[in-house]
Amino acid sequence: MMAGVEAASRLYRAGRMTEVIDACRAVLAVEPGRTDALNLLGAALFSAGQDGAAREALCEAVRIDPGDAVALTNLGIILQHRREWPAAARALRTLAALQPESGAICSRLGTVLQETGNLDNSVRLLVRAVRLDPGPSVQWYNLGLISVLTGDFAAAAHTLRRAVGSAPEGVLAYVQLGETLLRLGRVNEAAGVFRRALRLDPTVSEAANGLARCARYRAAAAAAQVPGTGSGTGTQKGLAVRGALESATGYGYFCQRFIRTLRKRAVPLQAIGITGPESWREENLDPPVPARALVNFLIPLAVERVPGLATVTFTMFEGTCIPPAWRRQCAHSDLIIVPTESSRMAWAAQGYPEDRLRVCPLGVDPEDSDGAAPAPTMVDPRGRLVSSYRHRFVNVSDFIPRKNIDGLLRVWLRSTTRTDDAVLILKLGKGSNPAFGAELGDLVRRTEAAVGKRMADAAPVVLINQFLSDVDMTGLIRAATHYWSMSHGEGWDLPLSKAGAMGLSLIAPRHSAYLDYLDDRVARLIPVAVRPARLPYSEQAYPPFHGLDWWDPDEDAAANILTAIIRGGDTAHRSARDHLVQGFTWTRASDRLLAILDDAGLR
């Protein structure tokens, strides 16, 4: 059947994939073990958009001949396309052993390991790739990107310059180089790089935004040099901050709350957006003010430095120890401020100097509990009004593994029946993930199989997957009687603390941020165990927590708590309202922030 495979190859080169598929299957019907036919079939199926069937054909080819380099190459590409990172890494490692001098294979394996969160091994492979084949710009570009992620900004700048030198027309390399130079505080160099990128392509918004940030940083640095300003007696002490001013993220929210509170107290303040040109519509945040430090309300990777100003990073982490990359990314921060003792311990556990760590709790929003935001009218999947249920549980989460939605659903299935007077309001994500429906459906099916019970046989779940304004979010929380978290770890948990300030009963794991503002008097706390951070129903590490631990809530204990509430055994209403409203205000948080900066001589 050699002629059949050769004919199929000619059809493949002509782009006639349907005929290639038929020809290869005809060959395999006679000679099932033909790896050349399986490989060509896999390539044709992939080109035709049938990547699942392509995967099967190529896995069979590799099973028959584990040393088939062509089949391993194609299988690695398909597995990478399907985001099956561990399987792709296994195929590419085998291929790298067969072809140890291939820079392209090292580069591809390095990018796959990056996706799994294995950043240090990714760097080693990408360094080997450029040593084996230093010519291609993409090799240097990939190494530059991973060096940024690991926090080695000096190495990243060097390799990105090599990428620019290899392909001077590559705009993306210029943008990444400019942003890396800003992380190093080299503002003038970064501005020149952004200008070159804009000369190549005036439509590149990232370059325009970078240039805008350079201008604001220069203005902030110039204002800091004004004689007679700063910390002298009788002078007004200014503050420069940078954060996600228009973002709906948690970081964006608490950055905005700090800015509003500081402005009410007449603290001179310059706010710089995360991209550069953005600002709030209702306020003019542009004018520079005299300041000694730039306070970044951001994750460490996004922090940029300004010459002449100290670098302060207000951030948090949700596990027992920050990643090594975060430790390196924070190396240039003069001060790290975190909202909880848990986050402080996570930094200290990675060896960050404790004399550069401070704790500043966030605030809650008692003013939102005055009835201004009405509860929305919601109907469950059976047509019953949500408001008619006696026990109404709510959870507001991004749809990510750390939020442990699988654990939440397992406990709900175990704890409730169709006849219970209870409903779960589940607000997931912000409506921006097109794959949300398929991913949630898969998680639900796995959860039903794990518990041995269908969602239809439990109390109803009302799913909300869309962006909600602050007012709408307040109304949603007002619709519930209990806020329930099964999270693996939290830096603060703004929705839960808000719910507590609004008077909802709280159910939360006994770990991380929750221990800073909750105890058994004001909340039902679930026991936990420290375990490796894994993806749901998998032994694969959750990439942002690669090699790290988080907390697993005890699902038996959580089920007992829910059952006692729903079936009437636990009738106590443990309220955290007074505790949170009196102890955690944004005014107190802002006072603490200013005191930290004053004590450090940074204001």
Side-chain angles (χ1 to χ4, degrees):
M1 297 293 290
M2 181 64 71
V5 175
E6 290 177 350
S9 296
R10 289 194 294 272
L11 291 169
Y12 184 85
R13 289 192 293 272
R16 295 157 66 178
M17 297 303 156
T18 301
E19 295 171 74
V20 176
I21 293 167
D22 291 340
C24 289
R25 285 176 171 159
V27 171
L28 291 165
V30 179
E31 299 182 62
R34 286 286 299 273
T35 55
D36 54 350
L38 285 166
N39 184 48
L40 187 55
L41 174 61
L45 287 166
F46 182 61
S47 297
Q50 302 178 49
D51 53 290
R55 181 188 188 281
E56 293 178 12
L58 289 163
C59 282
E60 178 64 11
V62 171
R63 186 190 67 78
I64 294 168
D65 183 1
D68 187 332
V70 175
L72 283 166
T73 299
N74 288 337
L75 179 59
I77 291 170
I78 289 171
L79 293 171
Q80 192 174 358
H81 173 76
R82 289 169 60 85
R83 304 181 69 82
E84 297 183 33
W85 307 120
R90 286 193 295 272
L92 291 169
R93 282 194 181 98
T94 302
L95 188 60
L98 293 170
Q99 301 179 3
E101 300 307 310
S102 171
I105 293 171
C106 285
S107 180
R108 185 176 289 275
L109 178 55
T111 58
V112 167
L113 292 184
Q114 174 186 331
E115 295 290 346
T116 70
N118 192 347
L119 300 184
D120 289 341
N121 279 334
S122 176
V123 167
R124 283 192 280 272
L125 283 159
L126 293 171
V127 167
R128 177 170 173 77
V130 297
R131 287 175 178 167
L132 289 170
D133 189 5
S137 174
V138 67
Q139 308 278 60
W140 292 104
Y141 181 75
N142 288 340
L143 179 56
L145 290 185
I146 193 66
S147 297
V148 169
L149 293 177
T150 61
D152 193 346
F153 300 136
H158 171 74
T159 54
L160 288 168
R161 288 192 188 281
R162 291 291 298 265
V164 167
S166 298
E169 72 284 358
V171 175
L172 289 180
Y174 281 104
V175 171
Q176 290 295 334
L177 175 58
E179 292 181 346
T180 302
L181 290 171
L182 286 182
R183 292 182 176 101
L184 289 166
R186 289 149 65 175
V187 175
N188 291 335
E189 287 181 68
V193 171
F194 289 131
R195 288 193 192 96
R196 287 196 291 275
L198 289 170
R199 284 197 293 270
L200 289 169
D201 186 350
T203 68
V204 178
S205 60
E206 293 87 352
N209 290 341
L211 199 56
R213 294 205 299 284
C214 290
R216 295 198 176 190
Y217 294 159
R218 287 197 193 101
Q225 301 304 315
V226 175
T229 62
S231 60
T233 304
T235 63
Q236 278 197 311
K237 304 174 187 178
L239 192 62
V241 304
R242 178 169 177 254
L245 304 183
E246 295 182 337
S247 170
T249 64
Y251 273 90
Y253 184 84
F254 78 76
C255 171
Q256 295 160 21
R257 294 298 289 151
F258 268 116
I259 290 174
R260 287 192 179 105
T261 306
L262 291 167
R263 283 188 173 274
K264 286 180 181 177
R265 300 194 55 202
V267 175
L269 186 145
Q270 177 190 9
I272 302 171
I274 190 170
T275 60
E278 81 274 20
S279 65
W280 285 327
R281 291 183 179 89
E282 68 267 25
E283 292 188 78
N284 176 12
L285 302 178
D286 294 335
V289 299
R292 290 191 171 186
L294 177 64
V295 181
N296 295 267
F297 293 98
L298 296 166
I299 61 172
L301 177 63
V303 171
E304 295 175 347
R305 298 161 61 196
V306 177
L309 298 181
T311 301
V312 177
T313 303
F314 198 131
T315 185
M316 61 189 71
F317 192 68
E318 304 90 356
T320 62
C321 177
I322 63 170
W326 280 43
R327 170 67 177 85
R328 292 189 287 265
Q329 291 161 7
C330 291
H332 297 295
S333 288
D334 298 279
L335 206 62
I336 298 291
I337 303 176
V338 294
T340 67
E341 178 63 15
S342 172
S343 281
R344 191 198 67 78
M345 291 173 63
W347 256 264
Q350 195 59 261
Y352 197 82
E354 297 198 44
D355 61 347
R356 289 158 59 189
L357 291 170
R358 301 290 188 277
V359 177
C360 176
L362 303 184
V364 296
D365 297 298
E367 69 273 17
D368 288 337
S369 63
D370 60 4
T377 299
M378 292 180 285
V379 178
D380 74 6
R382 303 166 193 170
R384 178 176 168 181
L385 282 172
V386 168
S387 59
S388 69
Y389 285 93
R390 179 182 179 188
H391 306 291
R392 303 181 300 278
F393 300 85
V394 66
N395 178 279
V396 178
S397 295
D398 286 330
F399 187 48
I400 55 175
R402 180 175 59 79
K403 292 296 187 175
N404 195 20
I405 302 304
D406 54 306
L408 189 91
L409 293 177
R410 282 193 298 271
V411 172
W412 189 252
L413 281 175
R414 292 177 53 193
S415 307
T416 68
T417 68
R418 285 181 59 89
T419 60
D420 284 327
D421 196 8
V423 63
L424 172 61
I425 306 164
L426 191 54
K427 166 70 174 72
L428 294 179
K430 302 177 180 69
S432 57
N433 178 10
F436 170 81
E439 292 173 0
L440 179 61
D442 180 65
L443 186 71
V444 168
R445 286 188 291 272
R446 291 186 176 200
T447 301
E448 289 177 327
V451 178
K453 180 178 177 181
R454 298 180 309 136
M455 294 297 297
D457 296 324
V461 176
V462 175
L463 177 66
I464 299 171
N465 174 37
Q466 63 198 59
F467 173 78
L468 296 181
S469 67
D470 289 347
V471 172
D472 291 337
M473 188 69 77
T474 299
L476 180 71
I477 293 173
R478 193 181 305 285
T481 56
H482 297 73
Y483 191 103
W484 172 32
S485 168
M486 288 287 289
S487 172
H488 288 301
E490 291 295 332
W492 183 262
D493 198 337
L494 287 163
L496 182 139
S497 61
K498 180 184 184 74
M502 292 172 59
L504 273 67
S505 289
L506 303 180
I507 308 166
R510 192 186 295 275
H511 65 53
S512 63
Y514 299 129
L515 297 180
D516 276 50
Y517 57 84
L518 298 179
D519 57 37
D520 291 308
R521 297 173 298 116
V522 299
R524 296 171 178 86
L525 296 178
I526 305 166
V528 298
V530 175
R531 294 196 177 97
R534 306 290 189 201
L535 292 173
Y537 305 109
S538 172
E539 290 302 308
Q540 180 183 342
Y542 177 44
F545 282 67
H546 186 274
L548 303 177
D549 294 332
W550 57 19
W551 296 270
D552 272 350
D554 186 321
E555 294 184 12
D556 290 336
N560 290 337
I561 290 172
L562 257 64
T563 300
I565 293 171
I566 295 169
R567 308 286 162 74
D570 182 355
T571 58
H573 177 70
R574 304 184 196 181
S575 175
R577 184 174 192 162
D578 291 343
H579 169 68
L580 291 172
V581 168
Q582 295 170 14
F584 298 90
T585 67
W586 287 107
T587 297
R588 180 172 292 186
S590 298
D591 286 345
R592 174 63 179 154
L593 175 61
L594 295 177
I596 288 171
L597 297 175
D598 286 341
D599 289 347
L602 299 179
R603 197 173 74 93

